[in-house]
Amino acid sequence: MKTQQPLTDMARWSHTFAAEVLEAGDLAIDLTAGRGKDCLHLARCVDSNNHGTVLAFDIQHEAIQSTTSLLAEQQIKVATISRPQQVTGPGVFLIQTSHEQLSLFSPRQAKVIMANLGYLPGGDHAITTRADSTLKTIKEALTELLPGGRLILVVYTGHEGAQEESQAITTHLADLHPRHWHIITMRPFLCHNAPYLLVVEKRQQPATVRERLLQR
């Protein structure tokens, strides 16, 4: 009998939206490695052992260790790096630093950038993503996306500072032009404090200042 997954499992929906656009050879980025489940999914989607590349960031050593162990169990090649020059060829590259370093480490524009915002499951609840650093990273992530690529965020709302982080994100996304972006949100209807999903798809590359002047 087929096991039915909970309809309100936002992490599962995030994987669905990532798999829709990822192909072997793509670059995918996990902004919050956590326990490694997102990273594993991205690695499989881009065939990181042979063709694609995954970057995964996390400030906690525990998260890097957990992700490394999970990937190794699944026969996914993985390396922990500390310098952008170490991103060479296909593979999964784990980086123990803030996701604010996204642009420094990314070798090219990514097809998918995803994150689970909040704290490490089973870890220290006092260590969480924060509104200021998350907003900075999201702005960079939108630039780093390929046209047709997606920024996929699972936003948790129950911990300290979560509401401020959620508000900062939604305020910024509300200012994006619909000519360049498609944005959807998914929320459990009856559970107001449950995690929700945001998917931001780049429709086309926003014009540079020079291009806008030439169009006049």
Side-chain angles (χ1 to χ4, degrees), residues 129-144:
T129 54
R130 305 186 316 274
D132 55 350
S133 61
T134 297
L135 184 58
K136 176 180 181 294
T137 302
I138 285 175
K139 291 177 180 179
E140 291 186 2
L142 296 176
T143 300
E144 294 293 340

Side-chain angles (χ1 to χ4, degrees), residues 176-192:
L176 297 181
H177 199 291
R179 179 182 302 167
H180 303 302
W181 306 94
H182 280 152
I183 304 174
I184 67 166
T185 183
M186 294 179 63
R187 294 175 179 266
F189 187 73
L190 299 176
C191 303
H192 302 298

Side-chain angles (χ1 to χ4, degrees), residues 3 7 10 12-13 23 67 69 99 104 108 178 189 202 207:
T3 302
L7 182 63
M10 294 296 116
R12 179 175 69 90
W13 284 112
E23 299 177 346
T67 301
S69 297
H99 47 60
L104 176 64
R108 61 185 190 274
F189 187 73
K202 180 179 283 189

Side-chain angles (χ1 to χ4, degrees), residues 7-11 117 154-159 162-163 166 185-197:
L7 182 63
T8 56
D9 183 349
M10 294 296 116
L117 304 178
V154 178
V155 184
Y156 290 78
T157 59
H159 58 279
Q163 294 298 331
S166 175
T185 183
M186 294 179 63
R187 294 175 179 266
F189 187 73
L190 299 176
C191 303
H192 302 298
N193 291 323
Y196 68 92
L197 181 69

